[in-house]
Amino acid sequence: MAFIRKKRQEQLLQLYSKERFSLLLLNLEEYYFEQHTAHHIQCKGSQNERKIRGSLKICSKSVIFEPDAISEPIIKIPLRDCIKIGKHGENGANRHFANEKSGGISLIFSQVYFIKEHNIVAPYKIERGKMEYVFELDVSGKVEDVVETLLQLHRASCLDKLGDQTAMITAILQSRLARTSFDKNRFQSVSEKLHMECKAEMVTPLVTNPGHVCITDTNLYFQPLNGYPKPVVQITLQDVRRIYKRRHGLMPLGLEVFCTEDDLCSDIYLKFYDPQDRDDLYFYIATYLEHHVAERTAESYTLQWQRGHLSNYQYLLHLNNLADRSCNDLSQYPVFPWIISDYCSSELDLSNPGTFRDLSKPLGALNKERLERLLTRYQEMPEPKFMYGSHYSSPGYVLFYLVRIAPEYMLCLQNGRFDNADRMFNSIAETWKNCLDGATDFKELIPEFYGDDVSFLVNSLKLDLGKRQGGQMVDDVELPPWAQSPEDFLQKSKDALESNYVSEHLHEWIDLIFGYKQKGSEAIGAHNVFHPLTYEGGIDLNSIEDPDEKVAMLTQILEFGQTPKQLFVTPHPRRITPKFKSLSQTSSHNASIADSPVSPGEESFEDLTEESKTLAWNNIAKLQLHEQHKIHKEAITGIAVSCNGSSVFTTSQDSTLKMFSKQSKMLQRSISFSNMALSSCLLLPGDATVISSSWDNNVYFYSIAFGRRQDTLMGHDDAVSKICWHDNRLYSASWDSTVKVWSGVPAEMTGTKRHQFDVLAELEHDVGVDTISLNAASTLLVSGTKEGTVTIWDLTTATILHQVPCHSRTVCDTAFSPDSRHVLSTGEDGCLNVIDVQTGMLISSMTSDEPQRCFIWDGNTVLSGSQSGELLVWDLLGGKITERIQGHAGAVTCIWMNEQCSSIITGGEDRQIMFWKLQY
């Protein structure tokens, strides 16, 4: 996983540099300023005098000496514990030594830490009592400057108030940064053009490293002030795939850059001192990326996940990333759910729902008795109220799980100590039981539990993590009986995460952590209320004037943990599980397909399967124009085709309905019902009657066999814009702001009996309706209005399910996906929007530079007709246009596809109909 991989990268860096020192030896919020080659002089002036060569590192709150010999411990002297700092031999002491102009620095102190003796990671050894250490610099001329620096930092460390200490150290840091700048000799090429330079800090878990950021036309650079761990970090802009603005310390100062598409581990995380610097750098990189990489949103990932193109694991990684969770920030580390609740059985049964944790509840609400106690306290608590006194994710919890692979991080967080042996991560079952029953333990899991690296479960470093009360040493994590090995445990955990049960319920957990149950009344109802300080916007640090209070508040928040950024404010859609998906797809293609003969020139799809349709849509970009005919005098508005494919019916703004023979390539009939434009047409089952809607407020029925108008339905007070038919019901949309549902009795074959219609329902809108569409079962209808609102109706009750104002101008076209799970709409604003039918959530939005007037789609891929006349192929899951096909001379106004997905007909403002074939 990300943290483990980053830890190994750091270990390789240290191996390359032969250093035992790392920034984790510093205190939290401490800076490493400079280093000098030096000798630690032991027993100075005596016969036992000994010199130990190494590196003296000056930090904002301590002095650290790293001996070259790994058998010697690293020495850390806190500046606050120093009694006196000066040149060795000052004030008459050891004058002979002083006269030799040696580079000696004397530190007299009361406490010292010894770390990593023999390069073994272990709790720090502490020695107390008044002591003097002498360090002799190789460059004696630097002694006075180093002593002056140490005295200044010592004064800061000894200030009474923490806020004053922080302010003084910050001033020293900013002074150092102001006296330096990025070394342009570090540019990869002399031809690079500088665009921006500013001060910033590189963020890694628990530590930050100040320096200078520089961006050119080809590279992003960071040069640490101290040259550690290397002189410059360089990232080629061409390699960047994603960038995210981050909260750091609750402030909008962070920027994280990724050169991979799906990895949680970033290439660099920067914290700026000025939000404007962060925003300027983000804007420059984002502008560069616009020409190379499509921007991804939570909604676009949701669509991919729903459709099975992202695993549950991948989707959770993306949501964590978008919610400001980063492996570089342990207070906002990625959070994953406990999935399994059975850690006692010898076999893990993933077909049994009882094996799984209830994902609709937060951990604190899983134990009914504990929840009752917490609710009683909650009711008695003054405002601001909260149910849980600890969070589900914090730096301490992350390192609780990772101590075996990241012991130095734990030592850094806990001032050189490991936790009590009985409180360590000893057993999976024990940890789950404590999360279920413990009074203050509500922690969730981390991504490593569903990854491939078992090292966080195994004490491969042979760390001495202490002895438990029962006498046993803390070693490898105890696994449940159903896991044969750490590898088996991770594999079964991954299987559980990707199981059908979790796929069907994961959206419930997402609602709690990233969604609408995270805050407000829904959170209270779900028993999901944490301390106000953990939420984004819970406190404004800039409003706190007292520096001590501000530092204390920030420390408390970072140590306590933070709730993820809220990504969704409506219920999250469910995943389309394979079982449900196959049923829905089967129902969306009725038996009429098998009964439909094909014309001699068409491909044969007698045993049509979903695979063949998928094949056709996968090759939709290979569409080729077969023939074209100009049969109208104005724009074509509708296309209908007989079952055998031989007759094509079209309507036009020239007020005519025309019948075209595909075999003879001849116009066979031209019918005019009035002098007003016709807006759409359809064929009734049996191919005996064509229905046309008109701008004259009427719907016309035309008998093909008898060649005459059979009936007229005068059902609206303004133009009829679109009609649909299913199961003897007519659905008509109008500019009079209504959609009407009519019961229809088909005419006799003789054509002498008129249709009889009764209004079954009237679906009222605020403005004119331009388009409608039915789902496969005709239980749902979607409408699009002139003001850009898409409304999903339940036809069984004639009520609104969802009303989504997702376009800024008129909605051009709408359609359900074959499985009825999604609605796609296009508008005059150039947007393609995907709405989840279950929740009404807008889960994808793509923009084109012109309106897409009409479209067909299979749920994943869209073929749209544009204002310019092109046919565009859209990959909704990839969020991009994959093909542009030259078509009409004017806007493409209507599009039709046969059931076999092999033949397409388009109509346009250029008065032509075009016949297209798939060639593959």
Side-chain angles (χ1 to χ4, degrees):
M1 230 344 269
F3 189 101
I4 296 174
R5 190 157 53 252
K6 181 170 283 291
K7 174 66 180 167
R8 286 184 176 158
Q9 288 171 354
E10 291 171 1
Q11 288 171 341
L12 285 172
L13 257 172
Q14 285 182 259
L15 186 66
Y16 173 76
S17 62
K18 297 181 181 179
E19 282 192 350
R20 288 179 291 157
F21 170 80
S22 85
L23 296 177
L24 292 168
L25 299 183
L26 279 59
N27 294 345
L28 296 176
E29 303 298 319
E30 183 176 8
Y31 297 109
Y32 165 35
F33 285 143
E34 61 191 55
Q35 69 92 25
H36 303 274
T37 304
H39 288 83
H40 176 206
I41 313 298
Q42 294 182 340
C43 305
K44 180 66 181 177
S46 72
Q47 291 183 342
N48 298 321
E49 180 177 305
R50 181 179 172 221
K51 289 187 176 184
I52 302 173
R53 184 175 175 80
S55 173
L56 187 69
K57 302 176 189 297
I58 311 302
C59 307
S60 58
K61 298 179 181 179
S62 62
V63 176
I64 296 175
F65 180 74
E66 178 192 15
D68 291 345
I70 64 170
S71 59
E72 297 288 340
I74 295 174
I75 298 168
K76 178 179 178 179
I77 305 170
L79 287 170
R80 68 173 183 272
D81 294 325
C82 287
I83 300 167
K84 185 175 182 182
I85 299 172
K87 292 174 66 177
H88 188 71
E90 282 183 330
N91 300 323
N94 205 333
R95 288 176 180 167
H96 175 72
F97 176 76
N99 291 336
E100 292 177 350
K101 298 184 179 180
S102 174
I105 298 172
S106 168
L107 299 177
I108 300 175
F109 50 87
S110 59
Q111 181 171 264
V112 62
Y113 295 91
F114 299 102
I115 306 168
K116 295 178 78 171
E117 188 173 3
H118 296 287
N119 207 23
I120 296 172
V121 177
Y124 303 170
K125 295 177 182 177
I126 306 174
E127 187 175 321
R128 294 183 175 91
K130 187 175 181 180
M131 293 164 272
E132 179 181 13
Y133 278 11
V134 177
F135 299 98
E136 186 179 293
L137 303 188
D138 275 12
V139 182
S140 58
K142 291 186 177 181
V143 171
E144 288 190 6
D145 290 340
V146 172
V147 169
E148 185 179 340
T149 298
L150 289 174
L151 289 171
Q152 188 181 33
L153 293 170
H154 179 247
R155 285 195 297 274
S157 297
C158 292
L159 292 172
D160 292 335
K161 293 185 175 182
L162 190 59
D164 292 340
Q165 290 181 29
T166 302
M168 185 171 177
I169 290 171
T170 300
I172 294 170
L173 170 63
Q174 292 300 323
S175 174
R176 283 173 167 261
L177 287 169
R179 294 197 305 267
T180 57
S181 62
F182 186 87
D183 181 4
K184 308 304 188 295
N185 292 322
R186 295 287 180 180
F187 282 177
Q188 293 289 300
S189 169
V190 293
S191 61
E192 284 186 65
K193 294 180 181 178
L194 175 66
H195 284 281
M196 177 183 173
E197 181 181 347
C198 64
K199 298 175 289 186
E201 295 176 12
M202 187 169 74
V203 179
T204 52
L206 299 182
V207 294
T208 60
N209 201 11
H212 296 276
V213 169
C214 187
I215 190 165
T216 69
D217 54 342
T218 54
N219 291 290
L220 171 67
Y221 298 96
F222 176 76
Q223 186 171 34
L225 184 66
N226 49 34
Y228 179 88
K230 54 184 180 178
V232 69
V233 177
Q234 177 254 329
I235 292 174
T236 304
L237 293 181
Q238 188 72 42
D239 294 338
V240 175
R241 288 294 169 267
R242 296 173 290 143
I243 53 169
Y244 297 98
K245 292 181 179 180
R246 297 291 193 214
R247 286 178 300 160
H248 190 273
L250 298 187
M251 302 290 285
L253 299 172
L255 183 71
E256 196 160 19
V257 180
F258 293 78
C259 292
T260 54
E261 189 57 50
D262 298 317
D263 203 338
L264 192 65
C265 186
S266 67
D267 290 82
I268 193 168
Y269 186 138
L270 296 169
K271 171 198 169 186
F272 296 80
Y273 300 109
D274 185 342
Q276 190 61 51
D277 285 342
R278 191 276 303 267
D279 292 345
D280 288 347
L281 192 71
Y282 176 89
F283 177 78
Y284 181 81
I285 300 177
T287 303
Y288 180 91
L289 291 183
E290 277 181 11
H291 308 292
H292 301 85
V293 182
E295 185 177 356
R296 305 307 295 269
T297 62
E299 292 77 17
S300 66
Y301 289 124
T302 301
L303 183 61
Q304 289 192 23
W305 172 71
Q306 272 197 294
R307 291 281 169 192
H309 291 255
L310 285 178
S311 66
N312 292 336
Y313 174 80
Q314 290 170 320
Y315 185 50
L316 289 176
L317 283 186
H318 287 305
L319 292 187
N320 271 284
N321 216 334
L322 291 166
D324 275 348
R325 315 300 284 188
S326 168
C327 64
N328 284 304
D329 185 351
L330 296 189
S331 67
Q332 299 189 92
Y333 199 77
V335 56
F336 268 58
W338 284 94
I339 293 295
I340 299 167
S341 63
D342 178 5
Y343 295 99
C344 301
S345 301
S346 57
E347 296 291 333
L348 187 66
D349 183 3
L350 296 182
S351 65
N352 178 11
T355 298
F356 299 92
R357 163 257 184 106
D358 185 347
L359 289 165
S360 68
K361 298 177 181 178
L363 273 177
L366 292 178
N367 183 323
K368 187 177 180 181
E369 293 180 3
R370 178 176 67 175
L371 179 62
E372 287 176 356
R373 293 195 300 270
L374 291 168
L375 288 177
T376 300
R377 189 190 68 171
Y378 175 76
Q379 298 298 336
E380 298 170 352
M381 187 181 294
E383 294 291 345
K385 295 184 176 184
F386 54 90
M387 295 179 186
Y388 308 115
S390 63
H391 205 251
Y392 50 76
S393 176
S394 70
Y397 291 160
V398 173
L399 295 177
F400 168 84
Y401 291 126
L402 296 177
V403 63
R404 289 167 178 80
I405 187 62
E408 290 176 88
Y409 290 84
M410 177 67 85
L411 294 173
C412 176
L413 185 70
Q414 300 202 149
N415 299 313
R417 301 185 303 273
F418 289 131
D419 205 350
N420 180 281
D422 287 293
R423 292 197 299 265
M424 297 284 274
F425 180 33
N426 293 304
S427 159
I428 303 288
E430 277 184 20
T431 303
W432 167 248
K433 186 178 186 303
N434 203 49
C435 290
L436 209 57
D437 302 335
T440 60
D441 194 349
F442 314 105
K443 58 179 172 287
E444 292 279 11
L445 297 182
I446 55 176
E448 281 77 0
F449 278 82
Y450 305 101
D452 298 315
D453 197 323
V454 301
S455 55
F456 76 102
L457 298 170
V458 181
N459 188 15
S460 57
L461 298 177
K462 302 303 177 186
L463 300 167
D464 182 358
L465 298 172
K467 184 182 291 186
R468 303 188 67 182
Q469 285 185 354
Q472 67 271 38
M473 296 296 295
V474 176
D475 198 27
D476 297 346
V477 177
E478 183 183 337
L479 302 174
W482 47 257
Q484 306 304 311
S485 65
E487 290 80 7
D488 187 47
F489 172 76
L490 289 190
Q491 184 58 55
K492 286 176 177 172
S493 297
K494 287 190 287 185
D495 292 343
L497 180 61
E498 304 301 335
S499 66
N500 277 342
Y501 178 88
V502 174
S503 292
E504 291 168 0
H505 294 277
L506 187 58
H507 65 284
E508 297 170 335
W509 186 81
I510 292 171
D511 284 336
L512 296 169
I513 306 301
F514 303 105
Y516 81 112
K517 290 184 179 179
Q518 186 195 88
K519 300 177 183 178
S521 60
E522 294 288 352
I524 295 172
H527 305 132
N528 193 39
V529 183
F530 294 85
H531 195 285
L533 290 180
T534 68
Y535 295 94
E536 183 177 23
I539 188 169
D540 180 9
L541 285 177
N542 290 326
S543 66
I544 302 176
E545 295 181 1
D546 187 325
D548 278 352
E549 184 183 348
K550 181 181 287 190
V551 171
M553 185 70 70
L554 180 58
T555 301
Q556 178 185 348
I557 291 167
L558 296 182
E559 290 181 357
F560 191 84
Q562 296 176 60
T563 300
K565 178 181 177 182
Q566 190 174 25
L567 299 178
F568 308 103
V569 293
T570 57
H572 192 281
R574 291 182 59 174
R575 193 175 196 192
I576 305 172
T577 55
K579 180 176 68 173
F580 181 86
K581 187 175 180 181
S582 62
L583 287 173
S584 63
Q585 286 184 338
T586 302
S587 66
S588 68
H589 300 287
N590 56 40
S592 65
I593 298 172
D595 300 332
S596 301
V598 293
S599 60
E602 301 249 344
E603 293 88 340
S604 176
F605 281 78
E606 292 179 0
D607 298 316
L608 192 62
T609 63
E610 292 303 321
E611 287 75 17
S612 65
K613 291 190 174 188
T614 300
L615 179 64
W617 273 101
N618 286 344
N619 288 275
I620 199 75
K622 298 178 182 177
L623 207 60
Q624 291 190 358
L625 181 61
H626 188 59
E627 56 186 87
Q628 61 191 72
H629 303 277
K630 186 177 288 188
I631 59 174
H632 282 280
K633 294 179 180 178
E634 289 189 37
I636 294 168
T637 56
I639 300 171
V641 182
S642 60
C643 284
N644 62 11
S646 61
S647 298
V648 179
F649 297 87
T650 56
T651 51
S652 169
Q653 288 184 8
D654 65 9
S655 79
T656 63
L657 166 68
K658 302 207 179 215
M659 178 177 172
F660 181 84
S661 171
K662 189 176 178 185
Q663 291 177 327
S664 66
K665 298 179 176 42
M666 298 284 290
L667 184 64
Q668 294 184 317
R669 298 183 194 178
S670 180
I671 308 101
S672 183
F673 302 111
S674 74
N675 60 358
M676 298 287 282
L678 297 179
S679 56
S680 67
C681 63
L682 58 84
L683 268 166
L684 291 187
D687 289 354
T689 303
V690 183
I691 312 179
S692 303
S693 57
S694 173
W695 285 6
D696 67 3
N697 311 355
N698 298 329
V699 178
Y700 295 100
F701 294 76
Y702 175 79
S703 171
I704 299 171
F706 290 89
R708 65 174 181 240
R709 183 171 65 185
Q710 193 170 325
D711 204 352
T712 302
L713 174 63
M714 295 178 283
H716 287 279
D717 299 323
D718 205 338
V720 182
S721 54
K722 185 75 179 288
I723 51 175
C724 298
W725 179 279
H726 186 270
D727 197 19
N728 291 336
R729 291 190 178 183
L730 174 69
Y731 305 82
S732 59
S734 170
W735 295 352
D736 67 4
S737 306
T738 67
V739 174
K740 293 184 179 180
V741 185
W742 311 82
S743 66
V745 179
E748 297 289 342
M749 291 302 293
T750 59
T752 56
K753 185 177 179 180
R754 297 168 68 85
H755 287 74
Q756 309 231 338
F757 289 98
D758 296 309
V759 177
L760 298 178
E762 188 169 323
L763 313 179
E764 295 187 357
H765 297 69
D766 295 332
V767 293
V769 183
D770 253 38
T771 182
I772 56 171
S773 181
L774 298 170
N775 72 333
S778 291
T779 54
L780 302 174
L781 178 144
V782 58
S783 59
T785 69
K786 288 184 174 296
E787 288 188 352
T789 298
V790 173
T791 307
I792 301 173
W793 298 82
D794 181 350
L795 291 176
T796 60
T797 58
T799 55
I800 293 175
L801 288 178
H802 307 290
Q803 200 164 37
V804 187
C806 54
H807 293 278
S808 59
R809 297 171 62 188
T810 299
V811 180
C812 296
D813 200 3
T814 59
F816 286 89
S817 58
D819 60 12
S820 301
R821 296 296 299 266
H822 298 118
V823 163
L824 177 66
S825 64
T826 60
E828 288 184 358
D829 56 3
C831 289
L832 276 79
N833 294 325
V834 180
I835 299 167
D836 180 75
V837 172
Q838 178 201 1
T839 63
M841 180 188 290
L842 180 65
I843 60 172
S844 179
S845 185
M846 298 172 61
T847 305
S848 59
D849 52 9
E850 60 179 339
Q852 302 302 305
R853 296 280 295 273
C854 56
F855 67 86
I856 49 177
W857 73 314
D858 72 338
N860 299 323
T861 305
V862 180
L863 179 67
S864 68
S866 69
Q867 184 70 31
S868 65
E870 287 183 316
L871 295 180
L872 270 54
V873 180
W874 301 74
D875 175 11
L876 284 180
L877 304 179
K880 60 187 176 182
I881 299 171
T882 58
E883 191 69 36
R884 293 177 178 268
I885 304 168
Q886 292 301 315
H888 292 264
V892 185
T893 50
C894 49
I895 187 167
W896 172 91
M897 174 187 269
N898 67 345
E899 293 281 6
Q900 293 86 350
C901 304
S902 60
S903 180
I904 292 169
I905 304 174
T906 58
E909 283 186 348
D910 60 0
R911 301 167 286 171
Q912 296 202 84
I913 55 172
M914 292 185 172
F915 294 83
W916 305 81
K917 292 282 189 177
L918 279 177
Q919 304 292 334
Y920 59 91

